[in-house]
Amino acid sequence: MATLAQQIVNGLVLGALIGLIALGYTMVYGIVQMINFAHGEVFMVGAFGAHFTYRRLLPEGTPWYAALPAMCAAAAVVSVAVAAAMERLAYRPLRGAHKLAPLITALGVSILLQEVVRVFYPGATAPLAFPRAFADGHLVVGPVMVLWTGVLALVVAPLLAAVVHVYVERSRLGRAMRATAQDPDTARLMGINLDRVILATFVIGAVLAGVGAVLYGIHYTQIDTAIGFQNGIFAFTAAVLGGIGNIRGAMLGALCIGLVKSLAGQYAWGGAQYDYVWVFVLLILVLMFRPQGFLGRPEGVRA
């Protein structure tokens, strides 16, 4: 029973981290009906931006309560810069083109970002140790032990998801985003600047990815150029599982994937070597009976 409880907690931590990436996938798809496969690399460059900030810019001995906000800010800035450049230079010229064009472009951008970081970032040809810029130790609840970095992820990820959800539902920009998602032509006639709304969507997703990258790094204490692809696949799957275009669904799907991956790695046939398989088995089973995902709507109206 103790092992089961521990794996559930581990799965929730992983799911919370994946959820921060999944929000970017689901928001971009909700607005422009495009699967941005390069969003995982926005997460990855954010991690390297935070790593660079800690290793090269912050004075040695900086306490974690000063280093962590600085790393989050740096990761968000790097992720936003990359996402904004991606939207402006790679995706905007393809708006209105066949859906395959931005999809293939996203794959190309993903590979390009991986290679740029691998070639130009010092030491990125191998995994890099990420500073654990947070309180040491762990929380013990009965038989379950959770690192404080895991507790932080469990608190911050749902909180940010809730903030984004409220912002999209109640703010002026959020209303413009929902109008664009429902009918971009009518939204334009109503005076909404679609370019600005779409760019803002990429920026919000990038900020979440940047913060998620720091939380991921301080929890797992290692990053490499493949973390964007690996976690991006899980995040995209989470967005589909929860109902792509739905913010709450993305977080719910991510938590489910984290649980399945953690529990399957411990108990299912093949162990951790085949935990990926069980994630996609879950996806297939859900889509067979509910193609729109947990919280998606069949008509495809986006949040």
Side-chain angles (χ1 to χ4, degrees), residues 30-51:
I31 298 296
V32 293
Q33 306 288 293
M34 169 197 162
I35 301 171
N36 180 18
F37 276 119
H39 186 65
E41 272 55 52
V42 173
F43 166 82
M44 181 269 292
V45 297
F48 278 89
H51 183 273

PDB file of all heavy atoms in Angstrom, residues 30-51:
ATOM      1  N   GLY A  30      -6.763  25.713 -29.658  1.00  0.00           N
ATOM      2  CA  GLY A  30      -8.073  26.315 -29.505  1.00  0.00           C
ATOM      3  C   GLY A  30      -8.245  27.579 -30.323  1.00  0.00           C
ATOM      4  O   GLY A  30      -9.324  27.862 -30.825  1.00  0.00           O
ATOM      5  N   ILE A  31      -7.154  28.335 -30.509  1.00  0.00           N
ATOM      6  CA  ILE A  31      -7.252  29.607 -31.224  1.00  0.00           C
ATOM      7  C   ILE A  31      -7.054  29.436 -32.727  1.00  0.00           C
ATOM      8  O   ILE A  31      -7.825  29.953 -33.531  1.00  0.00           O
ATOM      9  CB  ILE A  31      -6.194  30.602 -30.678  1.00  0.00           C
ATOM     10  CG1 ILE A  31      -6.466  30.888 -29.200  1.00  0.00           C
ATOM     11  CG2 ILE A  31      -6.225  31.892 -31.486  1.00  0.00           C
ATOM     12  CD1 ILE A  31      -7.772  31.575 -28.927  1.00  0.00           C
ATOM     13  N   VAL A  32      -6.010  28.721 -33.126  1.00  0.00           N
ATOM     14  CA  VAL A  32      -5.671  28.672 -34.561  1.00  0.00           C
ATOM     15  C   VAL A  32      -5.851  27.280 -35.159  1.00  0.00           C
ATOM     16  O   VAL A  32      -5.491  27.069 -36.314  1.00  0.00           O
ATOM     17  CB  VAL A  32      -4.225  29.163 -34.809  1.00  0.00           C
ATOM     18  CG1 VAL A  32      -4.118  30.635 -34.488  1.00  0.00           C
ATOM     19  CG2 VAL A  32      -3.214  28.375 -33.999  1.00  0.00           C
ATOM     20  N   GLN A  33      -6.401  26.350 -34.360  1.00  0.00           N
ATOM     21  CA  GLN A  33      -6.657  24.989 -34.870  1.00  0.00           C
ATOM     22  C   GLN A  33      -5.376  24.362 -35.431  1.00  0.00           C
ATOM     23  O   GLN A  33      -5.379  23.750 -36.488  1.00  0.00           O
ATOM     24  CB  GLN A  33      -7.723  25.034 -35.958  1.00  0.00           C
ATOM     25  CG  GLN A  33      -9.004  25.725 -35.539  1.00  0.00           C
ATOM     26  CD  GLN A  33      -9.806  24.895 -34.546  1.00  0.00           C
ATOM     27  OE1 GLN A  33     -10.310  23.848 -34.888  1.00  0.00           O
ATOM     28  NE2 GLN A  33      -9.904  25.376 -33.339  1.00  0.00           N
ATOM     29  N   MET A  34      -4.298  24.561 -34.711  1.00  0.00           N
ATOM     30  CA  MET A  34      -3.002  24.076 -35.183  1.00  0.00           C
ATOM     31  C   MET A  34      -2.296  23.320 -34.059  1.00  0.00           C
ATOM     32  O   MET A  34      -2.319  23.755 -32.911  1.00  0.00           O
ATOM     33  CB  MET A  34      -2.136  25.274 -35.600  1.00  0.00           C
ATOM     34  CG  MET A  34      -0.694  24.932 -35.846  1.00  0.00           C
ATOM     35  SD  MET A  34       0.320  26.417 -35.828  1.00  0.00           S
ATOM     36  CE  MET A  34       1.927  25.657 -35.572  1.00  0.00           C
ATOM     37  N   ILE A  35      -1.697  22.184 -34.402  1.00  0.00           N
ATOM     38  CA  ILE A  35      -0.929  21.433 -33.423  1.00  0.00           C
ATOM     39  C   ILE A  35       0.516  21.914 -33.490  1.00  0.00           C
ATOM     40  O   ILE A  35       1.224  21.645 -34.456  1.00  0.00           O
ATOM     41  CB  ILE A  35      -1.002  19.923 -33.705  1.00  0.00           C
ATOM     42  CG1 ILE A  35      -2.461  19.461 -33.673  1.00  0.00           C
ATOM     43  CG2 ILE A  35      -0.189  19.147 -32.683  1.00  0.00           C
ATOM     44  CD1 ILE A  35      -2.654  18.042 -34.161  1.00  0.00           C
ATOM     45  N   ASN A  36       0.921  22.653 -32.491  1.00  0.00           N
ATOM     46  CA  ASN A  36       2.267  23.220 -32.466  1.00  0.00           C
ATOM     47  C   ASN A  36       3.235  22.221 -31.836  1.00  0.00           C
ATOM     48  O   ASN A  36       3.530  22.276 -30.641  1.00  0.00           O
ATOM     49  CB  ASN A  36       2.257  24.540 -31.677  1.00  0.00           C
ATOM     50  CG  ASN A  36       3.628  25.164 -31.623  1.00  0.00           C
ATOM     51  OD1 ASN A  36       4.510  24.832 -32.420  1.00  0.00           O
ATOM     52  ND2 ASN A  36       3.827  26.068 -30.678  1.00  0.00           N
ATOM     53  N   PHE A  37       3.752  21.320 -32.668  1.00  0.00           N
ATOM     54  CA  PHE A  37       4.650  20.298 -32.140  1.00  0.00           C
ATOM     55  C   PHE A  37       5.962  20.877 -31.622  1.00  0.00           C
ATOM     56  O   PHE A  37       6.722  20.172 -30.963  1.00  0.00           O
ATOM     57  CB  PHE A  37       4.942  19.251 -33.219  1.00  0.00           C
ATOM     58  CG  PHE A  37       3.875  18.188 -33.298  1.00  0.00           C
ATOM     59  CD1 PHE A  37       3.140  18.002 -34.458  1.00  0.00           C
ATOM     60  CD2 PHE A  37       3.594  17.375 -32.212  1.00  0.00           C
ATOM     61  CE1 PHE A  37       2.157  17.030 -34.528  1.00  0.00           C
ATOM     62  CE2 PHE A  37       2.607  16.407 -32.267  1.00  0.00           C
ATOM     63  CZ  PHE A  37       1.887  16.223 -33.429  1.00  0.00           C
ATOM     64  N   ALA A  38       6.239  22.121 -31.937  1.00  0.00           N
ATOM     65  CA  ALA A  38       7.467  22.735 -31.428  1.00  0.00           C
ATOM     66  C   ALA A  38       7.288  23.309 -30.024  1.00  0.00           C
ATOM     67  O   ALA A  38       8.246  23.832 -29.458  1.00  0.00           O
ATOM     68  CB  ALA A  38       7.927  23.836 -32.383  1.00  0.00           C
ATOM     69  N   HIS A  39       6.089  23.198 -29.462  1.00  0.00           N
ATOM     70  CA  HIS A  39       5.887  23.785 -28.128  1.00  0.00           C
ATOM     71  C   HIS A  39       6.736  23.068 -27.066  1.00  0.00           C
ATOM     72  O   HIS A  39       7.153  23.686 -26.087  1.00  0.00           O
ATOM     73  CB  HIS A  39       4.409  23.714 -27.753  1.00  0.00           C
ATOM     74  CG  HIS A  39       4.092  24.418 -26.473  1.00  0.00           C
ATOM     75  ND1 HIS A  39       4.232  25.776 -26.312  1.00  0.00           N
ATOM     76  CD2 HIS A  39       3.658  23.942 -25.275  1.00  0.00           C
ATOM     77  CE1 HIS A  39       3.904  26.103 -25.077  1.00  0.00           C
ATOM     78  NE2 HIS A  39       3.554  25.018 -24.423  1.00  0.00           N
ATOM     79  N   GLY A  40       6.986  21.792 -27.259  1.00  0.00           N
ATOM     80  CA  GLY A  40       7.868  21.085 -26.331  1.00  0.00           C
ATOM     81  C   GLY A  40       9.257  21.704 -26.303  1.00  0.00           C
ATOM     82  O   GLY A  40       9.914  21.754 -25.253  1.00  0.00           O
ATOM     83  N   GLU A  41       9.707  22.203 -27.443  1.00  0.00           N
ATOM     84  CA  GLU A  41      11.032  22.830 -27.495  1.00  0.00           C
ATOM     85  C   GLU A  41      11.008  24.217 -26.850  1.00  0.00           C
ATOM     86  O   GLU A  41      12.043  24.701 -26.392  1.00  0.00           O
ATOM     87  CB  GLU A  41      11.510  22.913 -28.950  1.00  0.00           C
ATOM     88  CG  GLU A  41      12.258  21.678 -29.427  1.00  0.00           C
ATOM     89  CD  GLU A  41      11.459  20.408 -29.241  1.00  0.00           C
ATOM     90  OE1 GLU A  41      10.301  20.373 -29.705  1.00  0.00           O
ATOM     91  OE2 GLU A  41      11.970  19.459 -28.603  1.00  0.00           O
ATOM     92  N   VAL A  42       9.852  24.876 -26.834  1.00  0.00           N
ATOM     93  CA  VAL A  42       9.729  26.123 -26.074  1.00  0.00           C
ATOM     94  C   VAL A  42       9.985  25.835 -24.591  1.00  0.00           C
ATOM     95  O   VAL A  42      10.649  26.603 -23.889  1.00  0.00           O
ATOM     96  CB  VAL A  42       8.319  26.727 -26.284  1.00  0.00           C
ATOM     97  CG1 VAL A  42       8.103  27.933 -25.373  1.00  0.00           C
ATOM     98  CG2 VAL A  42       8.137  27.123 -27.744  1.00  0.00           C
ATOM     99  N   PHE A  43       9.465  24.713 -24.124  1.00  0.00           N
ATOM    100  CA  PHE A  43       9.732  24.246 -22.760  1.00  0.00           C
ATOM    101  C   PHE A  43      11.228  23.970 -22.574  1.00  0.00           C
ATOM    102  O   PHE A  43      11.839  24.387 -21.582  1.00  0.00           O
ATOM    103  CB  PHE A  43       8.896  22.985 -22.529  1.00  0.00           C
ATOM    104  CG  PHE A  43       9.246  22.157 -21.333  1.00  0.00           C
ATOM    105  CD1 PHE A  43       8.779  22.498 -20.070  1.00  0.00           C
ATOM    106  CD2 PHE A  43      10.012  21.011 -21.468  1.00  0.00           C
ATOM    107  CE1 PHE A  43       9.086  21.716 -18.968  1.00  0.00           C
ATOM    108  CE2 PHE A  43      10.320  20.225 -20.379  1.00  0.00           C
ATOM    109  CZ  PHE A  43       9.858  20.583 -19.112  1.00  0.00           C
ATOM    110  N   MET A  44      11.820  23.303 -23.539  1.00  0.00           N
ATOM    111  CA  MET A  44      13.235  22.920 -23.438  1.00  0.00           C
ATOM    112  C   MET A  44      14.154  24.142 -23.389  1.00  0.00           C
ATOM    113  O   MET A  44      15.056  24.220 -22.541  1.00  0.00           O
ATOM    114  CB  MET A  44      13.599  22.005 -24.622  1.00  0.00           C
ATOM    115  CG  MET A  44      15.021  21.501 -24.642  1.00  0.00           C
ATOM    116  SD  MET A  44      16.134  22.577 -25.569  1.00  0.00           S
ATOM    117  CE  MET A  44      15.536  22.350 -27.247  1.00  0.00           C
ATOM    118  N   VAL A  45      13.939  25.113 -24.276  1.00  0.00           N
ATOM    119  CA  VAL A  45      14.811  26.292 -24.269  1.00  0.00           C
ATOM    120  C   VAL A  45      14.621  27.100 -22.985  1.00  0.00           C
ATOM    121  O   VAL A  45      15.566  27.744 -22.506  1.00  0.00           O
ATOM    122  CB  VAL A  45      14.574  27.180 -25.514  1.00  0.00           C
ATOM    123  CG1 VAL A  45      14.917  26.446 -26.788  1.00  0.00           C
ATOM    124  CG2 VAL A  45      13.163  27.717 -25.564  1.00  0.00           C
ATOM    125  N   GLY A  46      13.434  27.051 -22.427  1.00  0.00           N
ATOM    126  CA  GLY A  46      13.224  27.715 -21.136  1.00  0.00           C
ATOM    127  C   GLY A  46      14.086  27.096 -20.052  1.00  0.00           C
ATOM    128  O   GLY A  46      14.664  27.812 -19.223  1.00  0.00           O
ATOM    129  N   ALA A  47      14.183  25.768 -20.069  1.00  0.00           N
ATOM    130  CA  ALA A  47      15.032  25.087 -19.084  1.00  0.00           C
ATOM    131  C   ALA A  47      16.487  25.502 -19.242  1.00  0.00           C
ATOM    132  O   ALA A  47      17.189  25.763 -18.249  1.00  0.00           O
ATOM    133  CB  ALA A  47      14.879  23.578 -19.238  1.00  0.00           C
ATOM    134  N   PHE A  48      16.954  25.586 -20.477  1.00  0.00           N
ATOM    135  CA  PHE A  48      18.347  25.981 -20.703  1.00  0.00           C
ATOM    136  C   PHE A  48      18.554  27.463 -20.365  1.00  0.00           C
ATOM    137  O   PHE A  48      19.639  27.855 -19.901  1.00  0.00           O
ATOM    138  CB  PHE A  48      18.757  25.679 -22.141  1.00  0.00           C
ATOM    139  CG  PHE A  48      19.162  24.240 -22.337  1.00  0.00           C
ATOM    140  CD1 PHE A  48      18.219  23.283 -22.668  1.00  0.00           C
ATOM    141  CD2 PHE A  48      20.473  23.839 -22.153  1.00  0.00           C
ATOM    142  CE1 PHE A  48      18.569  21.947 -22.823  1.00  0.00           C
ATOM    143  CE2 PHE A  48      20.846  22.505 -22.304  1.00  0.00           C
ATOM    144  CZ  PHE A  48      19.885  21.550 -22.639  1.00  0.00           C
ATOM    145  N   GLY A  49      17.546  28.285 -20.597  1.00  0.00           N
ATOM    146  CA  GLY A  49      17.656  29.690 -20.208  1.00  0.00           C
ATOM    147  C   GLY A  49      17.807  29.845 -18.708  1.00  0.00           C
ATOM    148  O   GLY A  49      18.613  30.652 -18.224  1.00  0.00           O
ATOM    149  N   ALA A  50      17.038  29.050 -17.963  1.00  0.00           N
ATOM    150  CA  ALA A  50      17.152  29.093 -16.500  1.00  0.00           C
ATOM    151  C   ALA A  50      18.501  28.554 -16.045  1.00  0.00           C
ATOM    152  O   ALA A  50      19.121  29.090 -15.109  1.00  0.00           O
ATOM    153  CB  ALA A  50      16.025  28.272 -15.887  1.00  0.00           C
ATOM    154  N   HIS A  51      18.965  27.492 -16.700  1.00  0.00           N
ATOM    155  CA  HIS A  51      20.274  26.915 -16.368  1.00  0.00           C
ATOM    156  C   HIS A  51      21.388  27.935 -16.592  1.00  0.00           C
ATOM    157  O   HIS A  51      22.276  28.114 -15.745  1.00  0.00           O
ATOM    158  CB  HIS A  51      20.509  25.666 -17.232  1.00  0.00           C
ATOM    159  CG  HIS A  51      21.772  24.939 -16.935  1.00  0.00           C
ATOM    160  ND1 HIS A  51      22.978  25.265 -17.529  1.00  0.00           N
ATOM    161  CD2 HIS A  51      22.034  23.904 -16.086  1.00  0.00           C
ATOM    162  CE1 HIS A  51      23.917  24.458 -17.070  1.00  0.00           C
ATOM    163  NE2 HIS A  51      23.377  23.626 -16.193  1.00  0.00           N
TER     164      HIS A  51
END
